[in-house]
Amino acid sequence: AIPFGDIWLRDTGPLFLRDGSGEVASIGFSFNGWGGKYLLEGDTHVAARIAGAAGLRSFSCEQVFEGGAVDVDGQGSCLAARRCLLDPMRNPGSTAADWERLLGESLGIDKVIWLDQVMAGDHTDGHVDTVARFTAPGRVLCTEARSGDDPNGEVYDEVAALLAASADARGRRLEVAKVPSPGRFESDEGEALPASYLNFYVSNISVVVPVFGSAYDKEAVDLIARAFPDRRVCGVPARALIRGGGAFHCITQQEPA
């Protein structure tokens, strides 16, 4: 049992690494409540305590980092949230070059594709796990707005255009596919929430996709299933989770077997 302040393990927990020989290790970064927004007792110690419980070789890094700020392809490519990692409330004075070097040293990243866009209602300052995800090396999913009241139509278009013009660490032009946005989803106070089907979790045999009771739920799950033909893809209600600001990717952190 490890105490924690809130459930967003993707950001508070360690990341797991695997080298060419198959050895698994963990790395823990600093966490400061998404730039001081939400400081809860226990969250700053979760990464180190999970690393200890895992019993693996572990590393630590003093820079503030959240797992939702990146998505990787396993072959040296990384999507990264510029406004999150370079936030002066997280890492004052840091530059894109600093982070490219750090991600290379800590996570084995050779190519960083920077995303600048932030969804409405996103308190993470642009975590990429709501706007773009690798589904395989060279292949990414992003979102498109279908309804006129979607507050993120321009954001989605900018992300899709940037990805379509990008190449990965091996020089491949990215193959971009799209899923619909669930549309405008609001808090009880009427504020937009960052609902996204892309906040799915990938396990060894399944992909768990958040659904929100939107008219686009089934289509989104079916399209994501095409991207993962070797896994069972299932939609699971996530309306309660999104009211806290995230979904299934945000509350999980995979550990290689």
Side-chain angles (χ1 to χ4, degrees), residues 67-208:
V70 299
D71 198 59
V72 301
D73 71 347
Q75 294 187 355
S77 307
C78 171
L79 307 175
R82 188 191 306 271
R83 289 167 66 173
C84 174
L85 296 182
L86 273 60
D87 177 15
M89 298 301 293
R90 290 171 168 89
N91 298 291
S94 67
T95 66
D98 293 335
W99 272 101
E100 288 168 5
R101 180 173 60 254
L102 178 62
L103 291 171
E105 294 170 350
S106 60
L107 302 182
I109 300 302
D110 300 314
K111 173 70 177 289
V112 178
I113 300 169
W114 290 103
L115 301 181
D116 299 313
Q117 294 75 20
V118 180
M119 288 179 63
D122 179 7
H123 60 246
T124 69
D125 302 301
H127 277 191
V128 300
D129 60 359
T130 56
V131 295
R133 298 287 303 279
F134 280 109
T135 58
R139 297 180 181 177
V140 293
L141 278 179
C142 61
T143 303
E144 63 180 350
R146 294 285 187 81
S147 58
D149 65 345
D150 196 309
N152 298 298
E154 185 175 343
V155 166
Y156 300 145
D157 290 345
E158 290 177 358
V159 170
L162 187 150
L163 293 173
S166 299
D168 66 12
R170 300 196 177 185
R172 294 170 295 210
R173 182 63 64 91
L174 294 180
E175 180 182 325
V176 179
K178 298 180 181 180
V179 299
S181 160
R184 184 175 181 87
F185 195 86
E186 296 181 346
S187 68
D188 294 337
E189 293 74 33
E191 297 178 352
L193 294 173
S196 172
Y197 299 119
L198 297 188
N199 203 263
F200 53 74
Y201 171 72
V202 182
S203 78
N204 289 344
I205 61 173
S206 302
V207 179
V208 183

Side-chain angles (χ1 to χ4, degrees), residues 36-80:
K37 297 182 185 72
Y38 303 98
L39 298 171
L40 300 171
E41 185 177 357
D43 279 349
T44 57
H45 304 295
V46 167
R49 288 173 174 168
I50 290 177
L56 301 170
R57 187 175 165 202
S58 62
F59 303 90
S60 61
C61 185
E62 64 181 13
Q63 276 79 7
V64 173
F65 174 90
E66 297 140 26
V70 299
D71 198 59
V72 301
D73 71 347
Q75 294 187 355
S77 307
C78 171
L79 307 175

